[in-house]
Amino acid sequence: MQVGVINRALEQLVTNIVDALPRLITAFVFLAIAAVGIKAIMFVVQAVLKRSLPGESPVYRQFLSVIVLVFLWFGVALAFLSIVGLTAIAASLGTATGFLALGVSYALSEMIKDAVAGVYLLRDPDFNPGDTVKAGDTTGEVAAIELRKTRFRVDGDTVVRANAAIEERWTKVRSES
């Protein structure tokens, strides 16, 4: 009696493995193709970032590259789970990650706002280091424009302001000569 149960269990196991084999082979072929595709996409992303942010620190470019890479691999992982037949898990992970991203973006909204304003200030031809600018209650020489903040020289001191506050309203007092 016990031998019959073991034989049926082994037969069922072998049958399930044989049935799953085409999906597993397809999934691993997909992973191989995705790895090559991601490698190519990341090459293009890094080239575009290097060209569009030449003056920025390599840390910023690397950070943006890593974010793109994580998103790409996460999409590949969800597709892999769907291919092997675990669509419910893929859907749950996708939904949970969406809510997590929403929470993180809300928590980092001020930082994101400063970074976006920083990109505008870095690209603005009228706002450059060396210029004397009035931003809010601060009037001083622009010492440095960074991604999230701008440094002003005011009476021998350095004053740091968030880019979002500066980008909203600033007035050039004097240009660098």
Side-chain angles (χ1 to χ4, degrees), residues 59-82:
V59 174
Y60 292 125
R61 291 192 304 262
Q62 185 179 9
F63 176 71
L64 292 172
S65 293
V66 167
I67 289 174
V68 170
L69 184 65
V70 167
F71 276 112
L72 290 172
W73 275 114
F74 185 72
V76 167
L78 293 181
F80 178 82
L81 289 173
S82 294

Side-chain angles (χ1 to χ4, degrees), residues 28-90:
F28 284 109
V29 168
F30 169 76
L31 278 179
I33 293 170
V36 171
I38 287 175
K39 199 86 154 153
I41 290 170
M42 289 309 297
F43 179 78
V44 170
V45 166
Q46 289 169 349
V48 167
L49 286 174
K50 192 175 245 185
R51 187 167 185 230
S52 62
L53 300 172
E56 285 302 311
S57 167
V59 174
Y60 292 125
R61 291 192 304 262
Q62 185 179 9
F63 176 71
L64 292 172
S65 293
V66 167
I67 289 174
V68 170
L69 184 65
V70 167
F71 276 112
L72 290 172
W73 275 114
F74 185 72
V76 167
L78 293 181
F80 178 82
L81 289 173
S82 294
I83 291 170
V84 295
L86 302 173
T87 53
I89 292 174

Side-chain angles (χ1 to χ4, degrees), residues 7 32 55-57 60 79 82-83 101 110 123 128 134 137 169-170:
N7 283 339
E56 285 302 311
S57 167
Y60 292 125
S82 294
I83 291 170
E110 287 300 313
R123 300 283 179 230
N128 295 302
K134 179 176 176 92
D137 62 346
R169 185 173 176 93
W170 60 271

Side-chain angles (χ1 to χ4, degrees), residues 121-144:
L121 289 176
L122 286 166
R123 300 283 179 230
D124 191 338
D126 296 324
F127 191 94
N128 295 302
D131 294 344
T132 302
V133 172
K134 179 176 176 92
D137 62 346
T138 303
T139 301
E141 180 184 343
V142 178

